[in-house]
Amino acid sequence: MKISQLSRVNPVERMTDPHPPRLIAECIAGNEEAIELLVREYEAGVFRLALSILGDPAEASEVTQETFLSALRSLPSYQEQKSFQAWLYTIVLNHSRSHLRKRKVIERLRSTLTTVFRIETQKQIVPEEAVIQNEKEAAIWRSLNQLDERLRIVVILRYFHELPVAEISEILSVREGTIHSRLHTAREILRDSLRHLLSAHGE
Amino acid sequence: MSITHEEAHEFIQLKMEDLLDSQQYAKLSAHLRGCSECKAYANEMNEVTNLLFPIMKRQWSIQPVPLSIASLVGRREKTRTSTFLAMRTAAAGVMLVALFFSAWQFVLSGPAASPRLPLLAPPVPTPSRQSAQSTSTIIHFQDCQTVIYPVQKTDTLLSIARQFSVSKDTIMELNRLKTDVVSPPMELLIPTCHLTPTSTFHPATFTTTFTPLINFTTSPPGG
C-alpha cells in the first residue's frame, strides 16, 4: 500500500469531509500526521464524555489517552457499521466503566481500612467547581448523580452531548425503543426531585 | 377519538424526541386544550430538560490538555517522569502493605503490650494527578505490514527510522541499501507494526491519617 505524503491541505477543509477512508487507512499505516488530525478532531469530545461519567478531570485525561490507544490499535477492525464517532464513544464508555469498577475496589479497600482497622482515611474530594445557581439546580444535579448508571448515561448523551436517539442506540448497542423508555423514566425521576422541593416549600 | 391521560403523557415524552407523527400530534394538541393536568405534566418535563444542559455545561466544559501524539505512537517521552511515577507507585504500595501489617500487629497484641510505635508511619504519599502526557505506556508490536514511504527532502535514514520506530539496520536490510544516505525521490519499504499498549495503573489519590486504637499515655510502660 502506497503512502503518499498527506498533502498540506488546510486541516479545517479536510474536516468537512468526515473520515475520507484514506485518513483512516493512513492512520492504520502509522502516518503520524493522519493520526494527529484524527486525534485533534475527537479528543475534546472524548474527554468531555469521560469527564461526564467519571467526574474527575485527571481520570478523564487517562481515559482519553487509553481510548485513543485502543482505537488506534483496533482501527483495522472498524468496518463502518456505526458512525466513527459512535464507534469511538463506545470505546470511551468501556474504558470509563472499567475505571469506575477500579474505583469501587479502592472504595471497598478504604472502607475496610476504616471499619476493620479503625484507621481513618480521608479521600481527596474533587471540589465541585460549578456554581449551582439555585435550589432547583441543586435538586436536579443531586438526582442526576443518584440515577442508575444506565439511566444516567442516556441523559448525559442526550442532553449534554446532544446526540440523537439513533446515535445513542449505536453507542450503547441498545434498541432505540429501550433508549426512549430510559429517557422517559429518567425524566420522571428528575421531575420528582423537583416536586419534593416544591412540596417542601409549598406548605 | 380522544386519548387518555396516560397516552397523552406518552405522546408528550415522544414529542421530546421528535417521534410524534402528525396524527398523534393533532390528538395531543386536542387533549391538551382541555386538560390542565397534562399541560402541567408537559411543563414539568420541559422544565427538567431545560435545567439539565446549563448545569452539565458548567460542570463539564473543561478544555482538555491536548494529547501527546508521540506517546500514542510509541515514542517514549520523559522516561524520567515515568520511572519516578513507577517508583512512587511502588512506594505507595509498600507503605500500604506496611500499614496493614502494623495495624494487624497492633490489633492482635492488644493494650497490654508495650507500645512499640510502628503505627506512626508517615501518611501514604499521595500520587498527584498526572496529566495525560506523562502516563507511561509500554508498547508491544504485533501485526506488522510493510509500507512504502517516499523520502522527503529533510529526511535522514535515522529520522525515518525513529519516525516509524524501527531500526536503521532493518530498513537498510529490507531495502538492500549499501549506505545510509537517502534522498528523494527514493522510496523505502518500512515494516510498520500495530500497537498493543499496556498502560500503568494509577492508584487513586487518597491520604491516610492514623488514629491509633489505643491512646499512648506518657506514663512508662507497666507503671
Side-chain angles (χ1 to χ4, degrees), chain A residues 106-124:
Chain A
I106 289 167
E107 272 308 302
R108 245 178 271 140
L109 173 66
R110 220 170 58 81
S111 78
T112 304
L113 284 179
T114 314
T115 57
V116 175
F117 297 106
R118 275 177 245 157
I119 292 161
E120 281 165 35
T121 59
Q122 196 180 18
K123 199 165 86 145
Q124 257 176 282

Side-chain angles (χ1 to χ4, degrees), chain A:
Chain A
M1 176 182 49
K2 204 174 169 81
I3 309 176
S4 37
Q5 181 76 12
L6 267 188
S7 43
R8 308 266 170 205
V9 169
N10 177 4
V12 173
E13 194 190 300
R14 181 164 278 281
M15 280 318 136
T16 56
D17 180 6
H19 326 303
R22 255 189 65 207
L23 181 63
I24 294 189
E26 301 276 335
C27 290
I28 293 175
N31 183 327
E32 260 185 55
E33 274 192 20
I35 293 176
E36 175 142 22
L37 282 175
L38 197 67
V39 169
R40 293 299 169 233
E41 184 178 359
Y42 287 102
E43 65 180 335
V46 164
F47 177 82
R48 251 196 307 275
L49 180 55
L51 183 62
S52 58
I53 297 174
L54 296 168
D56 172 19
E59 274 193 272
S61 284
E62 287 179 28
V63 166
T64 306
Q65 171 103 357
E66 290 166 22
T67 297
F68 281 107
L69 281 167
S70 296
L72 286 172
R73 177 166 43 104
S74 48
L75 209 47
S77 63
Y78 169 63
Q79 305 289 0
E80 317 230 356
Q81 328 92 317
K82 6 173 129 168
S83 78
F84 187 77
Q85 181 174 270
W87 181 80
L88 191 61
Y89 278 19
T90 309
I91 299 178
V92 181
L93 284 181
N94 290 338
H95 282 289
S96 302
R97 285 188 185 129
S98 90
H99 270 245
L100 281 178
R101 282 193 295 266
K102 272 185 200 153
R103 248 195 218 171
K104 289 211 176 99
V105 170
I106 289 167
E107 272 308 302
R108 245 178 271 140
L109 173 66
R110 220 170 58 81
S111 78
T112 304
L113 284 179
T114 314
T115 57
V116 175
F117 297 106
R118 275 177 245 157
I119 292 161
E120 281 165 35
T121 59
Q122 196 180 18
K123 199 165 86 145
Q124 257 176 282
I125 300 169
V126 182
E128 276 192 1
E129 283 156 30
V131 176
I132 300 285
Q133 291 185 347
N134 53 51
E135 288 188 31
K136 280 191 182 172
E137 291 196 349
I140 290 254
W141 181 248
R142 214 178 309 129
S143 179
L144 177 66
N145 288 325
Q146 286 167 358
L147 277 180
D148 177 273
E149 200 243 321
R150 279 167 302 184
L151 297 179
R152 184 170 183 268
I153 186 69
V154 294
V155 171
I156 290 174
L157 290 172
R158 173 78 175 81
Y159 289 107
F160 179 55
H161 300 279
E162 300 186 296
L163 300 174
V165 171
E167 179 131 5
I168 299 177
S169 163
E170 279 193 325
I171 293 172
L172 298 177
S173 297
V174 156
R175 281 181 44 243
E176 287 191 26
T178 312
I179 305 286
H180 176 75
S181 83
R182 286 188 193 171
L183 283 171
H184 181 150
T185 308
R187 284 189 284 246
E188 293 199 337
I189 294 177
L190 292 171
R191 185 267 327 255
D192 289 342
S193 74
L194 287 183
R195 274 240 186 104
H196 267 219
L197 198 67
L198 289 174
S199 59
H201 287 227
E203 312 307 289

